[in-house]
Amino acid sequence: MHEMSVALSIIEAVDEKARLEGAGRISEIELVVGRLAGIDAESLKFCFSAAARDSLAEHAVLAVREREGQGLCTACGSSFPLAFHIAECPVCRSFSVRIVSGDEFFIQSITIEEKE
Amino acid sequence: MCDTCGCGPGSEAVLRRPGNGTGHAHDLHADGMHHHHHHHDHDHRSRDPRERKIGMEQDVLHSNNLLAERNRGYFEARHILALNFLSSPGSGKTSLLEKTIPLLKAIVPVAVIEGDQQTTNDADRIDALGVPVIQVNTGTGCHLDAGMINRAVRELPLQDNSLLCIENVGNLVCPAMFDLGEALKVVIISVTEGDDKPLKYPYMFHEADVCILNKTDLLPHVEFDAARCRENAMRVSHGLEWFEVSVKTGEGLDAWQAWLEKQLGKR
Ligand SMILES: Nc1nc2c(ncn2[C@@H]2O[C@H](COP(=O)(O)OP(=O)(O)OP(=O)(O)O)[C@@H](O)[C@H]2O)c(=O)[nH]1
Ligand SMILES: [Mg+2]
Ligand SMILES: [Zn+2]
Ligand SMILES: [Zn+2]
Ligand SMILES: [Zn+2]
C-alpha cells in the first residue's frame, strides 16, 4: 500500500496540530485503521520513523487501533463481519452489501508535551 | 522508502509541457506544493513535561480530500467532466486516450493531465493529437494527488463544457486512496493480467465506477476468462459499468464512446 505518503500526511497533520497547541514534542499518536481501509498497519509502522524525521513526532509512539469490518445486507437486513471488500451476504447470498464499519482511517488523538 | 511501490519521502511533483521537438521538457513553476521541513531544537525538551492528550478525530487524508472537493466544485461549476483513468502499468490507458480523443474532440473540447513518475512520453503522445496536455512527474511518488491536479489545472487552458482526462500513475494500489476531485474513476485491466485481479486489488475496484477490459484481441492467445473477470469485478463493486474493448482493433470501442457521450450530455 501507499504507506509512505500516508505516513507523511499523518505527520503533517499532527505536527500542525501540535504546533497550534504549543507542543514541544508529540509523545504518542493514536490512529484508527479499519481492516477494509486499504492500509497495512505493519508497513505503516515501518514507514513511520522515516516519515517522522525532523518533525515534532520524531520520537512519538504510534498506537494503531484496528477496527473489524462490519457489513449490512440491504436485501435481507442481516449484518455480519467482513474481512474483505467482496461482500456476499452469508444469509441470502446477495451482493448488495453496505460496509457499515471497517473502512475508517483517522487520527484519533495525539499526546503532546508542552514547551517549558 | 516504501517496499511496495518504491515511493519515498521528499518527492516533489514537477509539471511539464511537452517539448517543442527538442525532446526536452519545460519545467513549470512548482509553488505551493513544497513539503515543509520543520526544524526544531532537540535540546529544549522539558525535564518535567506536561503531557496532554488532544482529541483530533481527523481523517488521515483530510487535506487531500479538502483539495479534491475544491477541484470537484471547480469542475462542476464549469461543467467539466473529469475522469480519472487508473490501471497497472501498461494496461493501455494512453492508448485508449489516443483512440478516444480524436473522435471526442469533434464534439467537445478535451484536455489531458498525464501522471507518470518520469518522462513526458505519454504527454508527447497526447500532444500529437492536438489537445492541451500537462505532464505531472511524480518522481518517487506512485500516484497523483489532489494538490497536483489543482496545480496542473491552472496551467491548462480548460474550457467550460469540456472533458478532462486524467491518466494516473500506473499502479493499482494507492491511487485508489487519493481523490482528485474527478467525477468518475475508470479502471482499465488487460487480458494479459490475471482474471482474479479485481479480487487481488479489491480496494481499487471497489472505488471504480467504470471498468474497461482491454486487449481482447489477445484473448485467443492467453488464458483469461473474461466472464469470470467481470463476475469478480462485480463482486467487489456492484454498480460497475463494464466494457470489453481492444484498443488495437477498435472492437468494443463504440459502446465506450457512446457511454462517454451520454455522460458528457449529463453535465
Ligand atoms: N494487443 C494489444 N496491445 C495493446 C492494446 N492496447 C494497448 N496495447 C499495447 O500495450 C502497451 C502499453 O500501452 P499504453 O497505452 O502505453 O499503457 P499505459 O496504461 O498508458 O501504460 P503506463 O502509462 O506506462 O502505465 C503498448 O505497447 C500498446 O501498444 C490492445 O488493445 N491490444
Ligand atoms: Mg500511459
Ligand atoms: Zn508506496
Ligand atoms: Zn442478505
Ligand atoms: Zn502512491
Side-chain angles (χ1 to χ4, degrees):
Chain A
M1 198 73 235
H2 182 79
E3 279 70 21
M4 181 47 97
S5 86
V6 163
L8 287 166
S9 329
I10 295 171
I11 299 299
E12 205 169 304
V14 297
D15 195 271
E16 189 185 326
K17 179 74 173 173
R19 269 162 214 278
L20 283 175
E21 298 284 340
R25 64 181 283 254
I26 301 170
S27 52
E28 186 177 317
I29 301 167
E30 199 183 4
L31 273 189
V32 174
V33 183
R35 290 213 189 272
L36 304 172
I39 285 291
D40 179 40
E42 282 316 307
S43 4
L44 185 62
K45 284 181 198 161
F46 183 79
C47 289
F48 194 75
S49 49
R53 207 160 33 222
D54 292 331
S55 78
L56 290 187
E58 181 149 16
H59 302 287
V61 173
L62 183 67
V64 178
R65 319 251 176 263
E66 293 196 79
R67 228 171 247 185
E68 297 301 324
Q70 189 76 24
L72 175 73
C73 173
T74 53
C76 76
S78 319
S79 84
F80 42 88
L82 279 185
F84 213 44
H85 271 103
I86 301 159
E88 187 185 56
C89 171
V91 180
C92 75
R93 300 281 153 209
S94 162
F95 288 132
S96 7
V97 169
R98 209 173 70 222
I99 297 170
V100 187
S101 73
D103 58 356
E104 48 282 270
F105 182 31
F106 60 93
I107 306 161
Q108 174 89 291
S109 72
I110 54 174
T111 304
I112 59 165
E113 290 174 13
E114 278 169 10
K115 276 192 208 149
E116 286 165 275
Chain B
M1 187 161 307
C2 159
D3 280 349
T4 316
C5 51
C7 67
S11 61
E12 295 207 357
V14 177
L15 270 58
R16 295 193 162 95
R17 260 195 205 115
N20 300 323
T22 54
H24 79 271
H26 163 60
D27 288 11
L28 297 163
H29 55 87
D31 53 319
M33 265 301 294
H34 64 276
H35 281 266
H36 313 277
H37 291 285
H38 307 289
H39 297 288
H40 69 284
D41 182 358
H42 291 265
D43 297 331
H44 66 200
R45 231 199 267 167
S46 168
R47 278 173 202 286
D48 179 25
R50 294 206 292 131
E51 281 217 333
R52 192 150 61 86
K53 187 167 172 170
I54 303 164
M56 280 184 72
E57 304 247 327
Q58 179 176 318
D59 199 304
V60 170
L61 298 170
H62 182 71
S63 54
N64 186 74
N65 292 344
L66 281 182
L67 258 178
E69 281 312 321
R70 271 175 54 186
N71 293 346
R72 185 166 283 117
Y74 174 82
F75 296 144
E76 283 174 6
R78 300 193 55 191
H79 303 281
I80 296 166
L81 178 67
L83 302 179
N84 184 0
F85 290 82
L86 306 134
S87 83
S88 298
S91 304
K93 299 179 293 297
T94 312
S95 307
L96 179 70
L97 293 179
E98 286 176 309
K99 269 282 169 69
T100 309
I101 288 173
L103 300 173
L104 276 176
K105 74 172 196 178
I107 317 169
V108 66
V110 183
V112 178
I113 298 172
E114 279 290 340
D116 284 291
Q117 293 193 314
Q118 303 291 343
T119 83
T120 57
N121 294 353
D122 284 1
D124 294 340
R125 287 163 66 183
I126 300 299
D127 189 49
L129 306 175
V131 297
V133 56
I134 288 285
Q135 177 82 50
V136 180
N137 283 135
T138 58
T140 56
C142 44
H143 61 274
L144 293 174
D145 66 32
M148 298 173 193
I149 299 306
N150 198 275
R151 277 173 55 207
V153 156
R154 285 181 228 170
E155 305 290 344
L156 267 179
L158 282 183
Q159 298 186 39
D160 290 351
N161 303 303
S162 64
L163 173 69
L164 174 63
C165 298
I166 303 167
E167 179 180 335
N168 218 310
V169 179
N171 172 358
L172 274 186
V173 189
C174 50
M177 294 189 67
F178 290 81
D179 185 5
L180 305 180
E182 72 278 344
L184 298 165
K185 285 191 170 76
V186 181
V187 63
I188 299 169
I189 156 174
S190 65
V191 304
T192 53
E193 303 163 49
D195 50 31
D196 58 351
K197 207 139 200 187
L199 304 184
K200 288 187 177 161
Y201 299 91
Y203 195 77
M204 173 61 79
F205 284 82
H206 185 77
E207 295 290 311
D209 303 285
V210 182
C211 182
I212 298 178
L213 176 63
N214 185 29
K215 309 195 188 178
T216 54
D217 58 288
L218 299 176
L219 274 174
H221 313 289
V222 292
E223 250 181 72
F224 185 98
D225 186 335
R228 180 146 34 119
C229 183
R230 180 188 178 156
E231 193 182 299
N232 286 336
M234 294 298 167
R235 285 173 72 187
V236 185
S237 172
H238 14 270
L240 201 63
E241 284 294 329
W242 179 265
F243 298 97
E244 293 180 16
V245 309
S246 164
V247 168
K248 190 178 175 187
T249 66
E251 195 190 352
L253 283 176
D254 43 349
W256 153 247
Q257 196 83 23
W259 180 85
L260 248 184
E261 286 174 22
K262 205 171 112 202
Q263 300 307 308
L264 285 163
K266 283 187 194 162
R267 273 161 313 151

